[in-house]
Amino acid sequence: MVEGKSSKTEIRSTDGSAIARPRAQRRGGQARPDHSRLELAGPPTSHTLVSRDASPIWEVIPGVDGVSWSPGAEVSRRRDAIFRRALAAADVLGCLLALCIAVYLVPGTDTRMRVADLALVPLIVVLSKAIGLYDRDQHRLRKSTLDEIPVLCNLAIFFALGVWLAEALLFRDPLDRPQVLLLALDSFLLVAGARALARVIALRTTPPERVLVVGSDWDCDRAKKVLTDHRAGLRAVVVGRVGLTPHAPGAYDRSDLPELRHAIAEAITTQSVERVILAPDGFDQEEVLEVIRLIKALGAKLSVLPRLLEVVGSASVFDELQGLTLLGVRPYGLSKSSRQLKRAMDLAVCGAAVLALSPLFLIIALAIKLDSRGPVFFRQRRIGRKGQFFYMNKFRSMVPHAEQIKDQLREHNEAEGGLFKITDDPRITRVGRFLRRTSLDELPQLLNVLRGDMSLVGPRPLVPDEDALIEGWRRRRLAVKPGMTGLWQIFGSSRIPMHEMVKIDYIYGANWSLWLDLRILLRTIPYILSRRGQ
């Protein structure tokens, strides 16, 4: 490692060999480093850039040798083009297939298509582009079809309406009303399915996105942990970190800024960084603005990790007042009408589910009684909305005296932050192990939802001992009814420490919407099937 001023910094690997050095660019008779062109001496290894006081500024993380080594901006442009073309093909294929189904598979109709229908191909692409369906993925690390369902619904409606208005040009006979309705429904379902498949193919045929974290060690470790979880539906790898130096208010020293800018430019250029995750919490605002301008000037994508959203939520709105932009923050929790809407959905879904699953309830109850002695249901005291107690129902999956021997097993606890979790818990019965793997032990909570103690989606219901560990603003999570599932479930409930889980619960209450509940319910299904919560 070499120490010195930023204009003379040379990056060396851990064995002392030079990795990259800036070429001198002469301007006005003085040699200056040109960060846009660097001489690479080899592939990235583990190396560190240090500041004048020997504190590490940039550290490159080893273990990413399998990642393609190419200029980040060019790779990023190619990836975006692949995703856009794949999604355009999915839109066209889904809409045209839906049109064929509506025209030819509805009984009692004689509608026939014409060659002019091929003109719909560019119109479908233009319509999708106009409503922003091709510009979302380039700004996001996680390419999700589920998040764009409302926009796909608009696409299906506009497509069906356009076809119906132009039926004289497109068909030999007019469309019937059932055909138009079927076209809207089929185009929505087929386009959503085709887009999901197109994203999977594009994701697997493109290299992982190379990410640089600008922030603290904790932010870097958190980003690495999330990005290396391939089950989250993304492909990215953290290749380095640049540390920002927090300054006390009024004590900002701009002499450190050139060195910081140099470190970021070196990292982005030499490591082919495609995206920068910036965690600016606690840092001088002017420094952060300079960093953002530099990252954008170098052509790297930028994702900001604002801690403000942990308090106000992402459901805030921007208010424009003659050039003055304000962030409107809504009150925490649910309004009366929102609670009524949420309750109506709970009753409708749970009522239908209990009726449909009643035979399965009887089969599970019989299996539990044949496997071991004891009651069919396990009732445990939990903390509900506003701190009120209630008894949560589950199918019994452990021996009857499980709570009495819990203290004897605490030394084997694998969970963090006050939660209790053991991979091979000896208290679990044979039938109980199957019920837990399939999450069938949770089904009796539907009765709690019908009774009003719980909701389908909400914060995790905690036992009194766990709830006693939560203090301060985190207790605001109790403003919302606990849920059978929630953000904590789809993020992997057994892998999240309690201090992170209660923060997630708080964010849920700050961001609530009916669409958020529907998204969580839809995402819970694949998480249960893949047994991620185990």
Side-chain angles (χ1 to χ4, degrees):
M1 295 184 294
V2 177
E3 301 178 22
K5 295 182 179 180
S6 60
S7 60
K8 298 180 180 180
T9 302
E10 184 181 79
I11 306 171
R12 293 183 177 270
S13 65
T14 50
D15 60 1
S17 59
I19 296 295
R21 64 188 67 83
R23 289 179 179 172
Q25 185 181 33
R26 188 166 299 277
R27 296 177 183 173
Q30 183 181 4
R32 297 180 181 178
D34 180 9
H35 303 306
S36 64
R37 296 176 295 165
L38 290 174
E39 297 174 344
L40 297 177
T45 57
S46 176
H47 50 278
T48 304
L49 180 68
V50 297
S51 63
R52 289 188 292 272
D53 59 359
S55 60
I57 295 179
W58 171 35
E59 56 182 350
V60 174
I61 300 168
V64 293
D65 296 337
V67 182
S68 346
W69 181 248
S70 57
E74 184 61 30
V75 173
S76 184
R77 283 193 293 268
R78 286 201 300 266
R79 177 186 288 105
D80 292 342
I82 290 174
F83 270 91
R84 282 194 296 267
R85 291 165 186 167
L87 293 177
D91 293 342
V92 171
L93 180 63
C95 287
L96 293 185
L97 184 57
L99 184 60
C100 292
I101 292 174
V103 169
Y104 294 111
L105 296 186
V106 175
T109 59
D110 297 324
T111 307
R112 293 293 181 269
M113 299 174 65
R114 293 176 173 175
V115 179
D117 292 352
L118 295 177
L120 290 174
V121 172
L123 294 179
I124 294 170
V125 176
V126 170
L127 178 59
S128 299
K129 174 66 177 179
I131 59 180
L133 283 172
Y134 299 142
D135 301 324
R136 295 166 55 89
D137 285 356
Q138 62 181 330
H139 305 302
R140 301 163 63 99
L141 273 163
R142 188 175 187 272
K143 282 60 166 160
S144 173
T145 302
L146 183 60
D147 292 339
E148 61 186 14
I149 289 296
V151 188
L152 293 181
C153 184
N154 293 336
L155 173 65
I157 293 174
F158 287 141
F159 176 66
L161 180 61
V163 169
W164 180 51
L165 292 175
E167 61 179 0
L169 300 175
L170 301 176
F171 310 108
R172 296 177 181 177
D173 300 299
L175 292 173
D176 295 334
R177 185 173 298 176
Q179 289 178 297
V180 177
L181 296 176
L182 180 61
L183 176 59
L185 178 61
D186 281 358
S187 57
F188 168 71
L189 296 176
L190 291 174
V191 169
R195 278 183 155 250
L197 180 60
R199 282 193 169 98
V200 171
I201 296 175
L203 205 61
R204 293 182 178 179
T205 55
T206 53
E209 192 167 356
R210 299 176 66 85
V211 177
L212 173 73
V213 178
V214 178
S216 65
D217 287 331
W218 185 85
D219 292 316
C220 184
D221 292 339
R222 184 182 179 191
K224 283 199 300 181
K225 182 178 179 181
V226 172
L227 297 183
T228 52
D229 186 0
H230 300 292
R231 297 172 298 183
L234 51 84
R235 288 191 71 202
V237 58
V238 178
V239 298
R241 179 185 73 86
V242 174
L244 285 174
T245 304
H247 298 278
Y252 175 63
D253 184 8
R254 291 190 60 86
S255 63
D256 293 338
L257 187 56
E259 187 170 353
L260 176 63
R261 288 168 55 87
H262 173 72
I264 293 175
E266 291 275 6
I268 291 176
T269 310
T270 63
Q271 294 303 304
S272 296
V273 171
E274 303 172 56
R275 183 182 299 272
V276 176
I277 296 179
L278 176 62
D281 184 58
F283 301 114
D284 184 271
Q285 183 176 3
E286 187 65 25
E287 182 181 65
V288 172
L289 292 177
E290 289 286 347
V291 168
I292 291 176
R293 293 187 186 105
L294 173 64
I295 294 170
K296 295 172 69 174
L298 291 172
K301 296 177 181 177
L302 177 63
S303 297
V304 181
L305 182 63
R307 298 288 163 76
L308 176 67
L309 296 184
E310 295 180 0
V311 179
V312 303
S314 60
S316 307
V317 296
F318 287 100
D319 189 13
E320 296 287 347
L321 302 177
Q322 298 181 354
L324 178 64
T325 303
L326 301 178
L327 183 66
V329 180
R330 73 180 191 183
Y332 185 84
L334 280 64
S335 63
K336 183 178 180 180
S337 59
S338 296
R339 290 197 301 269
Q340 292 172 346
L341 180 62
K342 186 176 175 66
R343 180 62 178 159
M345 186 183 75
D346 288 342
L347 292 175
V349 174
C350 285
V354 169
L355 291 177
L357 298 175
S358 53
L360 181 59
F361 272 64
L362 295 176
I363 295 173
I364 294 175
L366 181 61
I368 292 173
K369 295 298 290 185
L370 293 176
D371 182 53
S372 62
R373 295 182 179 181
V376 171
F377 295 106
F378 170 71
R379 302 178 74 241
Q380 189 177 42
R381 203 180 192 196
R382 298 290 180 109
I383 305 298
R385 183 170 179 262
K386 295 183 178 180
Q388 298 177 349
F389 293 98
F390 74 98
Y391 285 93
M392 189 179 74
N393 299 312
K394 284 188 177 184
F395 281 122
R396 181 174 60 84
S397 60
M398 291 186 175
V399 295
H401 56 287
E403 286 297 310
Q404 285 72 22
I405 62 177
K406 181 177 180 180
D407 291 336
Q408 304 174 15
L409 301 172
R410 287 197 179 275
E411 61 181 13
H412 304 291
N413 184 25
E414 300 171 4
E416 301 177 11
L419 298 177
F420 187 83
K421 185 79 173 180
I422 301 177
T423 301
D424 296 317
D425 197 322
R427 301 173 297 168
I428 301 177
T429 63
R430 290 175 300 175
V431 171
R433 201 170 302 279
F434 171 77
L435 294 178
R436 288 190 169 213
R437 267 201 317 264
T438 56
S439 296
L440 292 175
D441 63 318
E442 310 282 351
L443 287 180
Q445 293 174 34
L446 292 170
L447 304 178
N448 288 109
V449 176
L450 290 176
R451 196 162 52 226
D453 298 327
M454 296 176 62
S455 178
L456 282 172
V457 182
R460 181 172 180 170
L462 299 178
V463 298
D465 291 346
E466 295 171 347
D467 181 74
L469 300 175
I470 303 174
E471 300 176 346
W473 60 267
R474 294 174 179 83
R475 297 200 63 80
R476 294 294 306 278
R477 64 189 291 276
L478 297 178
V480 184
K481 283 184 182 179
M484 291 183 61
T485 185
L487 292 174
W488 52 270
Q489 172 74 12
I490 62 177
F491 289 161
S493 57
S494 62
R495 301 189 300 271
I496 301 178
M498 180 177 288
H499 69 276
E500 286 293 325
M501 185 192 67
V502 296
K503 186 185 298 182
I504 291 172
D505 289 340
Y506 181 90
I507 293 174
Y508 169 79
N511 294 333
W512 184 87
S513 68
L514 188 62
W515 170 235
L516 176 61
D517 276 5
L518 293 175
R519 272 171 35 196
I520 293 174
L521 288 173
L522 291 174
R523 284 181 176 170
T524 300
I525 297 174
Y527 273 74
I528 291 176
L529 295 178
S530 62
R531 303 175 185 175
R532 299 185 197 181
Q534 304 302 319

